[in-house]
Amino acid sequence: MSFPLLTAVAALPAIGAVATAAVPAARRTAAKWLALAVSLATLVLAAVVAFRFDPGGDRYQLTESHTWIADFGVRYELGVDGIGVALIALTALLIPFVVLAGWHDADPVEEEAAPGRRWRPTQGFFALILAVEAMVVISFAATDVFLFYVFFEAMLIPMYFLIGGFGDRAGARDEAEAAKQRSYAAVKFLLYNLAGGLIMLAAVIGLYAVTADQLGEGTFSLRAIVEARASGELTMAQNTERLLFLGFFLAFAVKAPLWPLHTWLPNAMGESTAPVAVLITAVVDKVGTFAMLRFCLGLFPEASAWATPVVLVLALVSIIYGALLAIGQRDIKRLIAYASISHFGFIILGIFAMTSQGQGGATLYMVNHGISTAALMLVAGFLISRRGSRLIADYGGVQKVAPVLAGTFLIGGLATLSLPGLAPFVSEFLVLVGTFTRYPAAGIVATFGIVLAALYVLVLYQRTMTGPVRPEVERMPDLRKRELAVVAPLIALLVLLGVFPKPLTDIVNPAVEHTLSDVQKTDPDPEVEAAK
Amino acid sequence: METLIGLLVAAPLLGAAVLLCGGRRLDRTGHWIGTALAAASFLLGAVLFADMLGREAEDRTLSQHVFSWIPVGGFQADVAFRLDQLSMTFVLLITGVGTLIHVYSIGYMEHDERRRRFFGYLNLFLAAMLLLVLADNYLLLYAGWEGVGLASYLLIGFWQHKPSAATAAKKAFIVNRVGDIGLSIAIMIMFTTFGTFAFSPVLESVGGTSEGTATAIGLMLLLAACGKSAQVPLQSWLGDAMEGPTPVSALIHAATMVTAGVYLIVRSGAIFDAAPAAQTAVVTVGAVTLLFGAIVGCAKDDIKKALAGSTMSQIGYMVLAAGLGPIGYAFAIMHLVTHGFFKAGLFLGAGSVMHGMNDEVDMRRYGGLRKYMPITFATFGLGYLAIIGFPGLSGFFSKDKIIEAAFAKGGTEGWILGGAALLGAAITAFYMTRVMLMTFFGEERWRNAPTPSPKEPSVEPAAETGGEYEVPHPHESPKSMTVPMIVLAFGSVFAGGLFSWGEAFVHWLEPVVPFEHGHPPVSALTVTAATVVALLIGVGAAWLQYGRKPVPALAPRGSLLTRAARRDLLQDDFNHVVLVKPGEYLTRGLVYLDHKVVDGAVNGTAAAVGGLSGRSRRIQNGYARSYAVSMLGGAAVLVAATLLMRAV
């Protein structure tokens, strides 16, 4: 048996989480370095996964399969296609930056740090981040529906504590009020996702019942079910398939999040620290859109086609609504959260356009949105930590005193508005083109999003960075070395993937072709055979 | 030779990267690096030009495939260049004028502490603009298109501490993005229709599709052109863009970037030829804008804004010509090039005047400056004669051909378009004479303290001098500034004649830009005579008002039209009422809705579930014990789920 590489990518941060949590209270700094080392080692392992993966090879590679709960046919089954590889790579890539950016976010305030206290927030913070990483990796690699479900739900627990337990330093705000807001956001996050998860659980059980009924013995194996459906061994009644689809889709639409199930996101991203906000939107939420692509389309192709019109409309609403709400925000982090809602609309639009450009673009979008939002949000976090306020109106003229901070913030913003030359342009344009070829009206409506994106990004930049220097920001220091070490590589990646995305598209394209054949769709042919 | 094409773009791109990432240590040398790389790009362009001339007219197109950019299914976007006579013309204009303006900026920006960054942005602009004209497909063109938009944003807002500059920059970018919707959709239609968006296959197979599709693509491209080239109805950003440093106005907002829309239309000529309705839209936009810009130009007291109105108007001429089809394409490009010389020269002259006048832009505060800055006066004067179309100078040849072609369109349409173009020529002569007289002739109004006016805050005494008026000491600018002006003046004088010598320019472009002789309903000589008469009327009217009578220190109230023209014919008021205000209400309404309705429903549910938010407050009290308890609670959820499984 070959080395269980995928398990290792998940196990390493899991073990790291336990080890980090166990570091004695007095050795806070050691815990940080440990967490950083573990996340970097995980990145190396993820890179090995990416290099071992052969885009021209089997659909699922690096597979592992073991019996878990034999009674119910639950297996510990892992395997990745190109989409999974891209997202595991994204996760492993972002975590070190999250750790580094959150270096001081969980330092205990003085009375907590007093000798004799055994409270270890720092250790907890970094351990929880690593725990989330482990669970997300398993979710991206699981090809057993139940296994996926368990980790899809389990990651709520560490996320709940990360959101509710750690916030920005209150600064001018009332500490008690801030704690209340934080707690509200955490509970809201939990309730929403738990509700979605419970509906999914019912659908998971239903799926088991269907397979048990038709195949003789029940199974949760994605690959087995897809094969059985393709060969005609397994057929689902129309209504059953649609109900099961809805059960899965709802859970993923909460996580993604899709309008009108989005309202937990601005609270969660607003109240948590910037690195945790990145963890939410750039990493955890991607499990939702990824699962739509892998599970909804793979398991329920006909129901997916049935739901497409409604999903497309909801995606369009998300794009426009999210962007308009972003324009109306007064809080920097909430603005970025609403921008993300708009971007998730693009991702879902691309998935359900059912073209190779749409789905390939959606996959690239997941990766690129992760990197660009990380860049923008982390710089915003650095800014907020300097002034102790999230309100846009409390800033002005920052570029004069901190030009590097302002410059990197602008680049993050330009990536968010999908400027050509930066990675998000590639994915956004692919989604638009892929949608247009099949649904021209939807493609045109979505295109209006590019103007709104320019508005919310540039208005944010103008109000915070330009104009006369406000007295409160006069002494603001520019980016420190640690902060620059976070931002510079992210920007370099944005440029690299914007100019030369081919390595990524090479990995993703075959996987998208497989997904399209699951739903039995082919790209529309051009109207005219163009001269060459 | 092909490999040199990539270097053409790479040189200024390298400059931008080095200057913007290089940090303070390059402050002393940055402007030299930037200028050297711009010049290198020009030299490469010259080498390629010489090489091109050495080959047969039919065999002059070079192409270079650099790498595959975005390959997904049938969607194949490449980074590939195409250098033909049309792009060569632009390469020489962009790098030539660009280099001159780099040189000029060395002097102009000497005292700016962020000069290195300024040169970095200028280099970035050159790279993006070259990408735009060298791309061999519409998607790569789009990358350059947005790239120049970014450079324009950064340079308009270069003095970011001024709120007006920051606002103007944002406005320019956003209005341009509206145009970009057009370019995006055009590319999508192309891909859906032809399965590609590379120039040659698309343009060669336009015949295979319906007129409706061609019209749709044409109209979308026109929308894009309107944004980038400040044509009605997306013209509102150009006047505000004058907040940028003057060399920027000369290079980006006069000579090169704003003409990109004309390039797009001419490049896509085959599409427009197949879509008469789209062509009608193009000529209408051109004719309306050439009058719109000219009228605005008459009413502005700010020298740069008067010139900006003029730019809009002149590009209107080019768009008009481009909409006329093969009888106009070549003249659109010819006017674009001659305009590049004289308008860049005029802006640099305006910058030179401002340089000598403590950055004053109000022409009512100028007067009689010809004695103090003779070189500026002479070069500006030659630019002035060129733009009004004084016989023998550049503008005369190129504008006259456009007016002829407009008449040659035929029918009532031809008379309307030709008439509009003639009327535009008269107004051009009027406002440019006005600028000339107010700036260089007449009383030296700057000797007196400005008259305070409650309505015109710009003429109130400067705050920094504490109310004391300091009389400026107008002086000639340094050599680094005057030499580029002199070079451009040469172009303003001779380029038109040179291009028209045996129709040299038309023949040069012909292999890639189709050309037909237009036949105006009256003889060409009559048209020329009418143009000259229009010119004389315009100059005479301006002289009566601004030459014979003293210029009042305060702008008179003026007629309704004058007042509207001062406000850019109410474009901002219109946008404000129709777009901005409703948009604000919509956004505010949605924010309220999201909070109260969507969220309110959730709050209610959450409270109903058992006052969870109240209970969970205890979780936050910082005791590890309660964390442990809730961790347990979370785990219980999982266990419950598994048990549920067993129960099934």
Side-chain angles (χ1 to χ4, degrees), chain A residues 164 184 188 262 321 338 399 528, chain B residues 160 193 201 594 599 603 620:
Chain A
Y184 170 69
K188 196 170 176 181
H262 64 278
Y321 185 92
Y338 277 106
Q399 62 88 20
V528 178
Chain B
Q160 288 185 329
T193 311
D594 202 58
D599 220 26
N603 279 353
Q620 307 306 322

Side-chain angles (χ1 to χ4, degrees), chain B residues 239-375:
Chain B
D240 295 343
M242 298 300 122
E243 288 287 342
T246 306
V248 173
S249 312
L251 177 62
I252 301 185
H253 305 119
T256 55
M257 183 191 83
V258 285
T259 58
V262 181
Y263 170 76
L264 183 67
I265 296 174
V266 173
R267 177 59 88 190
S268 315
I271 295 169
F272 287 93
D273 290 342
Q279 278 186 322
T280 308
V282 174
V283 290
T284 311
V285 164
V288 169
T289 309
L290 81 87
L291 292 174
F292 189 108
I295 293 170
V296 169
C298 294
K300 292 288 181 185
D301 289 336
D302 177 328
I303 186 169
K304 285 180 72 183
K305 294 206 167 168
L307 290 176
S310 158
T311 302
M312 236 162 91
S313 168
Q314 296 300 312
I315 299 172
Y317 275 103
M318 300 169 208
V319 170
L320 168 63
L324 295 170
I327 58 172
Y329 291 139
F331 300 127
I333 300 298
M334 184 161 127
H335 193 53
L336 192 156
V337 175
T338 57
H339 175 259
F341 290 129
F342 57 69
K343 188 52 70 62
L346 287 169
F347 265 112
L348 294 189
S352 172
V353 169
M354 286 161 60
H355 198 69
M357 290 289 290
N358 302 343
D359 287 329
E360 179 62 77
V361 290
D362 184 0
M363 292 188 290
R364 293 188 189 277
R365 308 281 318 130
Y366 293 168
L369 292 175
R370 65 182 187 284
K371 280 178 280 185
Y372 303 94
M373 21 186 99
I375 302 177

